[in-house]
């Protein structure tokens, strides 16, 4: 008899809840409980554990978005509500990640409009929402409070906290019971440190999702892959400060040279291949959420995850 | 389980005849224990010793070489489950499938593509590795013809895919001595397949969906005298693949089931999304992957993923520090400083070449870190740059004293000027803008 492979894990990845249904105090059609893994991804004995979730990223100012996506998605890019709805009904995403790119304009201060955009998106999709706030420390506090308030009860996932910049986002998450994305640059120790900082100011462990930072394929992914595996294994070996689910966003994929400089005939295909290969490998390394920007990537990932969850009887 | 040198020594003939190339049986035992020798080198082992030592002393995953000549490649000989524990050594060979029902032109075109297509990334030429010739017709004649067309086009490693021993025999007459891989031996046909593999010195894929059957089959094939095996756990779903391949790797490297200690074969064409199967094959321990000829987009992504996963993350690919020339720069040509991370070097170099401005690249030793990373880590600093200017004799190469630095290292510009006495010009952040920058801004 062949023995079962024994990896020697003793612990499990912690869980985080995203989204809230009406019964749970929100308005989403579903909520997700992510994490809970007990071994390597897709190696669970029973295959009842959930597939990684696919988040479709949209933005509120397409000037800061990839021209490839802008072209592919057409007029939707000017209407975050309609775009979010399409992500749910047509693209088949599990989550919507709204990136408030309008905050990247010089001297941005139109906080009320941000609130309206978030409201519109929440009203247009029934999926749980990830909210990517400002890129500018000066307005963090206002932006995150507004987002947090607008999404009260919805158990949003707010992004992104970094080592030098986490207080505003943590304050908003604590005040309105949302979860946080904690990002560190491809380094297990920095990831741990940031989680400790966040827990020290009161963020519960089951409200933190680790973003180990995903370098695009060919541009740092060799590091990201191992950083993710190591974070996952630390969790399984019992390090509570790293026992959070992970999110991966290979969003740089659309700006790298291979994609930017590709002939127009193949550029779209390369963009999808790049997002797809990076996201799939990241899911195998331990990501519970993968974020993509190209609608075609969503479909391909869905099918691949289903395949990974299916086992023929032996 | 791994045996200790002394346990191995007990099983050796103790003749100290030196025929194994070692001075004594004990030193030979020590090599075996370290996985650095093959028991077959000792001619005097008895059957019992052979069977006990056989699988436990060789590397936990057997090294298997495919093909001959320049494009031959080796797989197996891996030691870890996780690349951060050490590194992965032998990247999988990716083989494009041709069918013996295709026209000769098609077959030759695909083979020529494998022969010629190259993706150059960070100084490495990435290529596909060979062809897998499938006996779709079922006949020996058509198969031999297809193999002949492949042989005529290129001397690449080959996988011969057929259930028909007669077809294989006809093909092996043509390419048998080039170490092709025969696919596949099963419980039913392994004796015939082994006979062919033995006759021609081929490598052999062993296929069974259950791991215990697979282990039994490798043992049977070894008993038939064929040792250069690959194993195909015959996955029907991606889930089958990842669970079986991971289990095989784990059981092999821990030597829990030495009979599974062979490289894994993956037929990606069995899956709806071949790219998904290939990507999983690359990250999860496949050694030979058969695929349909890939689209240009898939080809790039697959080759890049393979390069990434088989790069040691602890040792980024580095350039030797020094003064490099782009074109034939004169005494008044610009000098551009950058780091010795090869991705950075080749990115910048590519843009400089297309700018058509002859220039010097001063590569400083940041231990392989990129510009931003080395600035953040404090590895890129003014003394490093001052010393590099001296060491590589930059002052003799140009008459001006102006150094262009990457946009991301702008915060260092004042300190570099002080330390070197050179005037520092802060270039753009993105190397894509370097051509425009040089054309507009550069005056010696
Ligand atoms: C992969 C990566 C790593 C890898 C190392 C990769 C390597 N070999 O350098 C690892 C995981 C080891 C790493 C470590 C760290 N990293 Co890091 N890392 C990255 C990542 C994802 C990609 C870097 C990369 O490969 N870029 C590609 C190369 C080609 O870029 P480049 O060298 O800058 O070259 C470009 C330009 O500078 C320009 N250029 C180059 N030369 C020249 C010359 C001239 C004259 C001109 C004009 C232009 C020019 O052209 C190139 C193309 O445009 C970046 C994030 C990002 N997307 O940039 C973070 C990043 C650089 N890392 C960061 C940090 C903080 C670190 C650490 C300090 C943290 C840590 N993890 O401990 C360490 C430091 C390393 C150490 N030893 O202590 C930060 C830097 C923050 C900052 N703004 O200063 C970044 C930006 C991530 C982030 N958002 O926080 N990192
Ligand atoms: S060949 Fe065999 S018997 Fe002779 S020294 Fe080596 S191990 Fe001993």
């Amino acid at each position: 008899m062949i023995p079962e492979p024994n990896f020697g894990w003793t612990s499990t990845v912690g869980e985080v809840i995203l989204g809230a249904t009406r019964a749970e105090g929100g308005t989403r059609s579903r909520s997700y409980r992510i994490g809970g893994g007990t071994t390597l991804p897709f190696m669970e004995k029973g295959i009842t554990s959930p597939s990684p979730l696919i988040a479709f990223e949209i933005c509120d100012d397409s000037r800061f978005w990839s021209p490839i996506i802008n072209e592919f998605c057409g007029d939707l890019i000017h209407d975050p509500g309609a775009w979010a709805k399409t992500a749910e009904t047509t693209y088949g995403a599990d989550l919507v990640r709204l990136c408030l790119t309008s905050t990247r304009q010089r001297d941005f201060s139109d906080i009320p409009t941000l609130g309206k955009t978030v409201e519109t998106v929440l009203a247009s999709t029934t999926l749980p929402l990830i909210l990517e706030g400002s890129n500018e420390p000066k307005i963090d506090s206002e932006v995150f409070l507004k987002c947090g308030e607008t999404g009260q009860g919805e158990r949003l996932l707010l992004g992104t906290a970094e080592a030098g910049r986490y207080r505003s986002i943590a304050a908003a998450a604590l005040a309105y019971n949302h979860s946080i994305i904690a990002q560190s640059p491809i380094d297990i120790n920095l990831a741990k440190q940031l989680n400790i900082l966040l827990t020290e100011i009161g963020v519960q462990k089951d409200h933190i999702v680790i973003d180990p930072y995903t370098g695009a394929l060919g541009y740092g992914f060799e590091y990201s892959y191992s950083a993710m595996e190591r974070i996952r294994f630390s969790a399984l070996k019992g390090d509570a400060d790293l026992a959070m689910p992970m999110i991966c966003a290979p969003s740089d994929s659309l700006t790298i040279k291979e994609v930017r400089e590709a002939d127009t005939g193949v550029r779209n295909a390369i963009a999808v291949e790049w997002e797809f290969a990076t996201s799939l490998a990241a899911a195998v390394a331990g990501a519970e959420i993968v974020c993509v920007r190209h609608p075609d990537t969503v479909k391909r990932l869905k099918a691949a995850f289903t395949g990974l969850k299916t086992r023929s009887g032996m | 389980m791994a045996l200790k040198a002394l346990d191995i020594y007990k099983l050796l003939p103790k003749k100290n005849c030196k025929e194994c190339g070692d001075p004594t049986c004990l030193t030979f035992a020590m090599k075996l224990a370290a996985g650095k020798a093959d028991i077959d080198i000792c001619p005097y082992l008895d059957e019992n010793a052979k069977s006990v030592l056989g699988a436990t002393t060789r590397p936990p995953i057997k090294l298997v070489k495919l093909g001959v000549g320049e494009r031959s490649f080796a797989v197996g000989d891996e030691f870890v489950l996780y690349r951060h524990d050490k590194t992965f050594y032998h990247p999988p060979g990716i083989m494009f499938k041709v069918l013996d029902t295709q026209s000769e032109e098609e077959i030759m075109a695909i083979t020529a593509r494998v022969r010629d297509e190259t993706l150059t990334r960070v100084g490495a030429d990435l290529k596909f590795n060979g062809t897998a010739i499938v006996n779709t017709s079922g006949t020996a004649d058509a198969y031999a013809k297809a193999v002949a067309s492949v042989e005529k086009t290129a001397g690449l490693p080959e996988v011969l895919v057929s259930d028909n021993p007669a077809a294989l025999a006809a093909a092996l007459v043509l390419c048998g001595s080039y170490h092709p891989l025969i696919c596949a031996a099963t419980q039913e046909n392994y004796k015939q397949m082994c006979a062919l593999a033995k006759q021609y010195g081929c490598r052999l894929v062993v296929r069974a969906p259950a791991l215990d059957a697979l282990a039994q089959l490798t043992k049977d094939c070894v008993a038939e005298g064929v040792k250069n095996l690959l194993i195909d756990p015959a996955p029907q779903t991606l889930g089958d693949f990842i669970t079986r391949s991971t289990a095989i790797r784990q059981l092999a490297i821990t030597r829990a089931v030495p009979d599974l200690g062979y490289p894994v074969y993956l037929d990606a064409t069995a899956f709806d999304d071949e790219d998904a199967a290939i990507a999983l094959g690359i990250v999860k321990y496949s050694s030979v992957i058969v695929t349909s000829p890939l689209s240009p987009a898939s080809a790039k992504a697959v080759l890049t993923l393979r390069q990434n996963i088989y790069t040691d993350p602890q040792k980024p690919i580095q350039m030797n520090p020094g003064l490099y020339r782009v074109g034939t720069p004169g005494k008044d040509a610009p000098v551009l400083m950058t780091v010795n991370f090869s991705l950075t070097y080749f990115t910048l170099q590519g843009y400089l070449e297309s700018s058509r401005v002859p220039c010097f690249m001063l590569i400083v030793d940041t231990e392989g870190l990129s510009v931003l990373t080395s600035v953040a880590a404090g590895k890129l600093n003014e003394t490093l740059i001052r010393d590099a200017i001296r060491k590589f004799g930059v002052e003799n190469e140009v008459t001006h004293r102006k150094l262009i630095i990457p946009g991301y290292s702008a915060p260092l510009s004042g300190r570099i000027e002080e330390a070197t006495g050179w005037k520092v010009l802060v270039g753009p952040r993105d190397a894509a803008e370097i051509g425009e920058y040089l054309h507009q801004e550069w005056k010696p």
Side-chain angles (χ1 to χ4, degrees):
Chain A
M1 261 324 273
I2 302 286
E4 282 295 319
N6 175 7
F7 302 103
W9 311 127
T10 51
S11 202
T12 55
V13 179
E15 293 186 338
V16 173
I17 294 171
L18 302 180
T21 61
R22 288 206 183 274
E24 293 158 344
T27 61
R28 308 294 87 200
S29 62
R30 65 196 96 167
S31 62
Y32 301 110
R33 182 182 285 270
I34 60 167
T38 59
T39 180
L40 306 181
F42 305 106
M43 291 293 288
E44 303 282 350
K45 284 237 71 172
I47 40 177
T48 48
S49 59
S51 280
L53 299 175
I54 305 165
F56 186 79
E57 299 191 336
I58 63 174
C59 66
D60 69 340
D61 186 339
S62 57
R63 284 176 301 169
F64 302 95
W65 218 240
S66 160
I68 300 169
I69 305 302
N70 290 353
E71 197 176 302
F72 192 91
C73 293
D75 286 341
L76 286 175
I77 60 169
H78 305 299
D79 184 348
W83 205 3
K85 191 177 161 90
T86 311
E88 174 175 1
T89 53
T90 311
Y91 305 159
D94 301 311
L95 291 158
V96 171
R97 185 185 205 186
L98 170 62
C99 301
L100 297 172
T101 44
S102 61
T103 59
R104 296 193 197 165
Q105 302 166 71
R106 203 178 285 259
D107 300 325
F108 176 87
S109 61
D110 188 4
I111 308 292
T113 300
L114 290 185
K116 287 208 192 78
T117 307
V118 174
E119 243 168 60
T120 310
V121 169
L122 278 169
S124 313
T125 173
T126 72
L127 296 176
L129 190 66
I130 307 176
L131 253 190
E132 220 21 71
S134 84
N135 246 23
E136 172 53 57
K138 272 194 300 210
I139 52 171
D140 273 358
S141 177
E142 277 179 281
V143 171
F144 286 120
L145 278 177
K146 185 78 199 169
C147 294
E149 187 193 351
T150 313
Q152 189 165 12
E154 302 283 11
R155 288 210 69 151
L156 305 175
L157 181 58
L158 293 178
T160 291
E162 297 168 54
R165 231 185 118 206
Y166 59 90
R167 287 180 187 276
S168 308
I169 190 169
L174 284 169
Y176 301 105
N177 192 30
H178 302 304
S179 296
I180 295 186
I181 298 174
Q183 186 191 73
S184 42
I186 324 186
D187 185 292
I188 184 170
N189 298 316
L190 295 180
K192 177 165 172 150
Q193 226 169 52
L194 179 56
N195 290 342
I196 293 173
L197 288 174
L198 286 170
T199 43
E200 271 172 0
I201 60 168
V203 182
Q204 298 294 314
K205 289 200 170 99
D206 62 3
H207 281 62
I208 298 175
V209 176
I210 299 175
D211 178 352
Y213 191 97
T214 308
L217 189 58
Y219 296 85
F221 189 69
E222 64 269 50
Y223 306 97
S224 296
Y225 185 83
S226 282
M228 294 178 77
E229 278 199 326
R230 292 182 61 199
I231 289 170
R232 170 86 171 203
F233 301 165
S234 298
L236 295 174
K237 282 186 254 169
D239 187 337
D241 293 323
L242 284 168
M244 293 83 168
M246 280 187 278
I247 183 170
C248 142
S251 29
D252 289 352
S253 300
L254 300 174
T255 56
I256 58 155
K257 196 170 141 204
E258 281 80 349
V259 174
R260 243 189 309 145
E261 292 179 3
D263 295 337
T264 38
V266 290
R267 187 184 303 138
N268 197 62
I270 294 191
V272 174
E273 279 304 327
W274 232 261
E275 273 198 338
F276 177 66
T278 319
S279 308
L280 184 61
V284 169
E288 275 89 352
I289 306 175
V290 292
C291 306
V292 298
R293 297 191 177 178
H294 201 298
D296 286 350
T297 317
V298 180
K299 295 196 189 80
R300 302 240 342 243
L301 281 173
K302 267 248 136 98
F305 291 159
T306 306
L308 276 163
K309 293 305 255 180
T310 314
R311 295 188 208 153
S312 62
M314 294 212 334
Chain B
M1 288 299 117
L3 289 178
K4 293 208 176 66
L6 267 182
D7 302 326
I8 296 172
Y9 175 67
K10 285 185 197 143
L11 294 163
L12 294 182
K14 305 185 196 65
K15 283 172 172 285
N16 297 331
C17 70
K18 303 190 177 53
E19 282 180 45
C20 56
D22 268 284
T24 64
C25 292
L26 182 60
T27 53
F28 184 62
M30 286 159 72
K31 267 200 190 155
L32 285 175
K36 286 193 175 128
D38 200 324
I39 51 155
D40 293 340
I41 312 174
C42 169
Y44 305 110
L45 278 181
D46 61 37
E47 283 308 311
N48 171 48
K50 268 191 199 162
S51 67
V52 177
L53 294 176
T56 52
T57 51
R58 64 170 164 78
I61 298 176
K62 187 166 169 53
L63 182 78
V64 179
K65 214 178 131 196
L66 270 73
V68 292
E70 210 192 325
R71 295 285 291 270
S72 67
F73 63 94
V75 291
D77 203 20
E78 300 288 348
F79 298 88
V80 294
L81 199 52
Y82 315 122
R83 58 199 278 282
H84 57 260
D85 280 347
K86 201 166 187 182
T87 188
F88 293 169
Y89 292 100
H90 297 105
I94 300 174
M95 321 293 272
F96 280 8
K97 171 162 129 172
V98 299
L99 310 178
D100 68 357
T101 46
Q102 284 172 308
S103 72
E104 177 163 23
E105 292 75 59
E106 279 174 286
I107 294 176
M108 289 174 62
I110 295 169
T111 311
R113 183 177 163 204
V114 176
R115 180 189 66 203
D116 301 334
E117 188 166 308
T118 307
L119 174 67
T120 305
R121 285 198 84 256
V122 292
D125 286 338
L126 310 179
K127 288 176 180 289
F128 295 103
N129 303 78
T131 51
I133 309 149
V134 187
N135 184 208
T136 317
S137 71
T139 70
D141 279 358
Y143 198 51
K145 240 182 96 203
V147 172
S149 309
V150 170
E151 280 296 328
K152 200 166 19 173
T153 314
L156 297 167
E158 287 162 5
V159 187
L160 303 179
V161 186
S162 176
D163 302 332
N164 177 357
L168 287 171
L172 286 168
V173 172
L174 301 168
C175 67
S177 54
Y178 306 139
H179 298 327
L181 176 63
I182 300 178
C183 184
T186 59
Q187 234 141 357
E188 294 75 42
N189 70 6
Y190 79 90
K191 286 210 162 132
Q192 278 169 303
M193 292 290 180
C194 284
L196 282 172
K198 226 172 122 177
Q199 184 183 348
Y200 290 98
C202 304
R203 289 70 181 106
L204 181 63
V205 177
V206 161
R207 179 189 302 140
L211 299 193
D212 41 3
L214 210 44
Q216 183 58 47
L217 207 48
T218 63
K219 213 189 283 181
D220 294 340
C221 290
V222 171
E224 294 289 318
V226 182
K227 292 182 187 154
N228 285 308
L229 302 174
L230 270 78
I231 51 183
D232 176 6
Q236 288 176 35
T237 69
L238 295 174
D240 289 347
F241 169 73
I242 197 169
T243 48
R244 293 177 197 171
S245 183
T246 306
I248 289 169
R249 178 67 156 250
Q250 211 264 354
L251 296 168
I253 57 165
T254 54
R255 298 184 197 265
V257 185
D259 292 321
L260 290 175
Y262 298 92
V264 167
Y265 174 90
L266 170 63
D267 178 8
T269 65
F271 298 89
D272 291 339
D273 190 335
E274 285 187 46
D275 297 341
I278 301 168
L280 290 173
I282 290 170
V283 295
K284 288 292 169 182
Y285 322 123
S286 284
S287 290
V288 169
I289 303 175
V290 172
T291 159
S292 307
L294 294 171
S295 72
S298 304
K300 279 204 176 74
V302 160
L303 290 173
T304 306
L305 179 64
R306 184 178 66 177
Q307 186 187 37
N308 269 191
I309 296 298
Y310 281 80
T311 298
D312 183 350
Q314 275 131 49
K315 274 191 263 133
I317 312 175
Q318 299 185 25
M319 298 292 302
N320 285 327
L323 192 67
Y324 291 69
R325 290 172 161 73
V326 181
T328 342
K331 291 268 178 200
D332 56 359
V335 180
L336 298 107
M337 184 276 290
T338 193
V339 296
N340 76 326
F341 180 31
S342 54
L343 181 61
T344 307
Y345 170 84
F346 286 106
T347 309
L348 181 66
Q349 191 220 27
Y351 287 114
L352 285 173
E353 274 176 356
S354 45
S355 80
R356 304 197 176 281
V357 180
C359 60
F360 293 97
M361 292 173 76
L362 175 63
I363 310 300
V364 304
D365 187 359
T366 53
E367 297 162 30
L369 292 183
S370 75
V371 174
L372 252 183
T373 316
S374 60
V375 172
K379 290 255 155 74
L380 184 63
N381 57 51
E382 62 278 12
T383 28
L384 185 74
I385 294 166
R386 182 196 62 201
D387 295 349
I389 289 178
R390 280 193 200 142
K391 186 165 166 204
F392 304 123
V394 189
E395 308 215 319
N396 304 325
E397 296 289 345
V398 291
T399 44
H400 64 80
R401 293 293 177 261
K402 285 181 187 160
L403 185 67
I404 305 177
I405 66 169
Y408 284 121
S409 62
L412 304 174
S413 65
R415 276 178 281 153
I416 300 172
E417 288 200 336
E418 263 171 49
T420 62
W422 283 48
K423 179 163 176 45
V424 168
L425 308 174
V426 177
R429 292 181 158 196
D430 189 339
E433 290 156 26
I434 194 70
E436 208 185 317
Y437 173 87
L438 288 177
H439 286 293
Q440 284 174 7
E441 309 277 332
W442 173 250
K443 290 178 232 55

